[in-house]
């Protein structure tokens, strides 16, 4: 696969973006640009990173910016479990068993898409665990492994709001919407976690069709056949010993999962929150470790049962296997973490977002056109400020009252925001998991850059944004309820 997009290495790209943020913070600070935080009334000024205080801050925090980078610990912990499962041969055995009789490519593509779309039920697991597995699955049926990475990434990122189940994001956003409505004295309003459920449940199926179609008709023909040096062992039939080892691993995994579920949903419920809910509970917060430990446990059992492992040192070797891949990730993540930290410290992202929100709220159009503009605006803001909760923390206090004065209920405003907030996730360079995705891609093609990723994902983003907006317009015009 040739890269015709002559862009720098991902680490270099993040370094150059950091320099751009530093320069812009200096310019904004010179002109004294500030905005008003809508929920607190506090004046927010851009902080220059070239001021004496900014330079001192950067030198003090350059190490903690990296070590405190949110995805870093998650990725390392997840790769420990995946590393043991791969090194022991457990993942390979599962794939050989699963696709031995059903090598239909469309089944694998659909499975990857649906897994990505539904993964937001338990947070960001889709980014860390599903993407490398998707690459192996695509390669196992003769498809380009980078196609699996892109398909899984787009499904997880662009479909982050779509689900047929209640996700971890639903209660948090609805609570902010309710708070903004209460502060603006909008009555009667009751926005619960399921206030957009009907719309996003239907959206899940529509997005699955869109991603599948673009993957088959555009992405895979563009990638062509994979001719790299990462090979798949093929479809050698599992031996009797391997089948017994796999059965033992699955049984242990089932017992482990049963214990976790019992500790979460039984009357004991030590993995639930202090108030008995799952929101911010040990189960949700620790789900990545729980899954990684379970995958690693099954891999270890398979390794010993199959004869691949004979001593504890073999297991440790499995832990260390992903370190070659993570070496590249650490370099990219170091520069990415400095970019995100500088952006946050300078307050450029918040100032730009609030300035744009104030401009949009001053536009006087019909309710439908205002909602369409709001979706587009949310999609653009998402390019520089990815966290949905961080954006909605201040955007809800601006747009919920403004749109309520136009007769638009808060649940409709929240729904419009979530469409724009999800659609552009796959193309923003400020996505926290962008360094990891680029690292996975470089495993199969060393020439991969952000330009490569953008070239493969912009079609998904554009089509999803247009189709999702069209569905929203149809829903709004027909007067159908968005949820419960």
């Amino acid at each position: 696969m040739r890269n015709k997009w002559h862009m720098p290495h991902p680490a270099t790209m993040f370094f150059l973006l950091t320099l751009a943020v530093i320069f812009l913070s200096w310019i904004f600070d010179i002109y004294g640009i500030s905005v008003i935080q809508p929920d607190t009334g506090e004046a927010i000024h851009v902080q220059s990173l070239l001021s004496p205080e900014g330079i001192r801050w950067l030198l003090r925090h350059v190490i903690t910016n990296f070590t405190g980078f949110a995805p870093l610990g998650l990725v390392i912990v997840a790769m420990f479990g995946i590393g043991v499962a791969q090194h022991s041969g457990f993942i390979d055995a599962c794939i050989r068993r699963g696709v031995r009789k059903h090598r239909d490519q469309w089944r694998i593509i659909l499975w990857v898409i649906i897994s990505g779309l539904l993964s937001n039920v338990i947070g960001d697991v889709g980014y860390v665990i599903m993407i490398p597995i998707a690459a192996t699955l695509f390669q196992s049926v003769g498809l380009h492994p980078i196609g699996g990475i892109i398909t899984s990434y787009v499904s997880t990122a662009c479909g982050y709001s779509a689900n047929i189940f209640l996700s971890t994001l639903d209660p948090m956003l609805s609570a902010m919407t309710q708070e903004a409505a209460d502060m603006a004295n909008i009555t009667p309003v009751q926005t619960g976690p399921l206030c957009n459920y009907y719309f996003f449940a239907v959206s899940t199926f529509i997005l699955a069709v869109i991603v599948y179609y673009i993957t088959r008709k555009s992405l895979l023909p563009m990638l062509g056949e994979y001719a790299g040096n990462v090979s798949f062992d093929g479809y050698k039939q599992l031996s009797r010993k391997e089948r017994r080892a796999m059965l033992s691993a699955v049984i242990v995994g089932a017992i482990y999962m049963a214990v976790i579920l019992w500790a979460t949903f039984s009357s004991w419920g030590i993995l639930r929150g202090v108030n008995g809910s799952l929101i911010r509970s040990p189960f949700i917060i620790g789900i990545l470790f729980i899954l990684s430990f379970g995958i690693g446990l099954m891999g270890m059992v398979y390794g010993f049962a199959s004869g691949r492992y004979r001593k504890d040192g073999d297991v440790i070797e499995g832990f260390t296997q992903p370190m070659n891949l993570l070496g590249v990730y650490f370099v990219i993540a170091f520069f990415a973490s400095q970019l995100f930290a500088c952006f946050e410290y300078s307050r450029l992202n918040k100032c730009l977002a609030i300035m744009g929100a104030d401009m949009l709220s001053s536009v006087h159009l019909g309710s439908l056109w205002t909602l369409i503009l709001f979706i587009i605006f949310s999609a653009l803001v998402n390019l520089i400020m990815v966290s949905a909760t961080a954006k909605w923390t201040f955007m809800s206090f601006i747009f919920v009252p403004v749109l309520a004065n136009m007769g638009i209920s808060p649940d409709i405003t929240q729904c419009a925001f979530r469409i724009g907030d999800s659609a552009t996730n796959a193309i923003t360079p400020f996505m926290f998991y962008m360094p990891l995705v680029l690292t996975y891609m470089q495993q199969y093609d060393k020439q991969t850059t952000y330009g490569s990723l953008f070239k493969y994902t912009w079609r998904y983003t554009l089509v999803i944004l247009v189709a999702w907006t069209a569905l929203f317009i149809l829903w709004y015009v027909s007067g159908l309820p968005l949820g419960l």
Side-chain angles (χ1 to χ4, degrees):
M1 182 183 62
R2 282 186 164 181
N3 177 26
K4 299 180 181 179
W5 293 54
H6 300 290
M7 291 191 68
H9 188 278
T12 307
M13 182 198 75
F14 285 116
F15 173 71
L16 295 175
L17 284 174
T18 303
L19 294 181
V21 169
I22 292 173
F23 176 75
L24 287 175
S25 71
W26 175 61
I27 295 295
F28 274 53
D29 181 59
I30 288 176
Y31 286 96
I33 295 176
S34 64
V35 294
I36 301 299
Q37 179 84 7
D39 54 329
T40 63
E42 174 192 1
I44 300 177
H45 301 268
V46 175
Q47 299 183 114
S48 173
L49 285 155
L50 290 179
S51 67
E53 182 56 36
I55 294 172
R56 286 194 292 266
W57 172 87
L58 186 57
L59 291 176
R60 288 195 203 106
H61 294 85
V62 66
I63 295 176
T64 54
N65 288 343
F66 176 55
T67 57
F69 186 45
L72 186 63
L74 300 177
V75 169
I76 294 173
V77 169
M79 293 305 289
F80 281 153
I82 294 175
V84 171
Q86 286 181 330
H87 183 258
S88 67
F90 177 64
I91 291 180
D92 177 68
C94 289
I95 293 175
R96 284 159 57 197
R97 177 67 176 173
V99 301
R100 180 171 59 88
K101 295 180 179 179
H102 304 287
R103 294 188 57 185
D104 297 328
Q105 295 178 346
W106 68 270
R107 294 177 186 269
I108 296 297
I109 297 174
L110 271 181
W111 187 88
V112 168
I113 292 170
I114 293 171
S115 299
L117 287 171
L118 300 184
S119 65
N120 64 70
V121 170
I122 46 178
D124 297 335
V125 170
Y127 294 110
V128 183
I129 293 181
M130 279 306 307
I131 290 178
I133 294 176
T136 305
L137 284 172
F138 266 53
Q139 192 174 12
S140 71
V141 292
L143 299 174
H144 202 295
I146 288 183
I149 293 173
I150 299 297
T151 303
S152 180
Y153 175 56
V154 168
S155 302
T156 304
C158 294
Y160 200 74
S161 285
N163 212 311
I164 57 175
F165 304 107
L166 187 70
S167 74
T168 56
L169 194 62
D170 293 310
M172 290 188 285
L173 292 185
S174 62
M176 295 177 193
T177 304
Q178 185 66 52
E179 184 180 355
D182 292 341
M183 185 171 290
N185 294 318
I186 302 172
T187 54
V189 170
Q190 195 66 36
T191 56
L194 297 173
C195 65
N196 297 149
Y197 174 76
Y198 295 151
F199 178 81
F200 287 119
V202 173
S203 299
T204 305
F205 298 98
I206 294 176
L207 264 60
V209 171
I210 292 172
V211 175
Y212 179 84
Y213 181 83
I214 296 177
T215 298
R216 291 303 297 259
K217 299 298 182 180
S218 177
L219 177 65
L220 294 177
M222 192 186 309
L223 289 169
E225 292 187 9
Y226 178 63
N229 56 5
V230 180
S231 60
F232 178 72
D233 290 339
Y235 299 95
K236 182 174 58 174
Q237 188 173 2
L238 292 175
S239 65
R240 180 178 299 177
K241 189 174 185 179
E242 287 176 322
R243 288 197 299 270
R244 286 200 303 265
M246 186 174 174
L247 179 61
S248 300
V250 170
I251 291 174
V252 170
I255 295 172
Y256 170 77
M257 187 55 63
V259 170
I260 293 297
L261 293 176
W262 176 78
T264 303
F265 297 103
S266 70
S267 56
W268 189 33
I270 62 168
L271 296 186
R272 292 202 301 269
V274 292
N275 60 353
S277 70
L278 289 178
I279 306 303
R280 300 192 180 280
S281 65
F283 176 77
I284 294 297
I285 295 175
I287 189 64
L288 193 63
F289 170 75
I290 291 171
L291 289 176
S292 178
F293 185 85
I295 293 171
L297 179 64
M298 289 190 290
M300 185 174 65
V301 170
Y302 178 86
F304 282 111
S306 65
R308 176 71 183 269
Y309 289 167
R310 298 187 181 278
K311 56 184 185 300
D312 63 320
D314 297 329
V315 180
I316 301 303
E317 186 180 343
F319 280 126
T320 61
Q321 185 188 33
M323 289 304 111
N324 291 333
L325 173 65
L326 289 181
V328 179
Y329 171 71
F330 289 152
V331 175
I332 299 175
F334 173 79
F335 290 100
S337 64
Q338 305 308 319
L339 168 64
F340 298 141
C342 287
F343 212 32
E344 185 69 24
Y345 172 82
S346 67
R347 301 178 179 175
L348 263 175
N349 52 357
K350 186 170 287 188
C351 285
L352 290 173
I354 293 178
M355 287 168 61
D358 290 338
M359 290 176 58
L360 180 60
S361 62
S362 65
V363 175
H364 301 289
L365 294 171
S367 59
L368 181 57
W369 282 107
T370 301
L371 284 169
I372 294 172
L373 285 178
F374 180 49
I375 292 174
I376 297 172
F377 172 75
S378 300
L380 294 175
V381 170
N382 193 51
L383 295 176
I384 60 171
M385 193 174 186
V386 178
S387 172
T389 53
K391 288 194 297 288
W392 197 232
T393 297
F394 67 86
M395 287 178 63
S396 60
F397 289 92
I398 297 175
F399 288 104
V400 167
V402 169
L403 297 184
N405 291 333
M406 303 175 64
I408 300 172
S409 64
D411 61 321
I412 296 177
T413 303
Q414 176 184 290
C415 183
F417 163 76
R418 295 185 68 177
I419 293 172
D421 173 68
S422 296
T424 52
N425 274 338
I427 61 173
T428 171
F430 293 96
M431 165 64 71
F432 286 155
Y433 294 97
M434 178 73 70
L436 182 63
V437 176
L438 293 172
T439 302
Y440 285 141
M441 292 176 67
Q442 287 210 335
Q443 185 182 10
Y444 297 95
D445 182 4
K446 299 297 183 183
Q447 304 302 315
T448 293
T449 65
Y450 170 74
S452 310
L453 182 61
F454 183 84
K455 178 175 66 174
Y456 298 134
T457 55
W458 71 266
R459 290 177 180 82
Y460 292 98
T461 289
L462 181 61
V463 175
I464 286 174
L465 180 60
V466 172
W468 219 346
T469 303
L471 176 65
F472 177 79
I473 293 172
L474 180 63
W475 209 287
Y476 180 77
V477 171
S478 62
L480 294 172
L482 292 170
L484 298 173

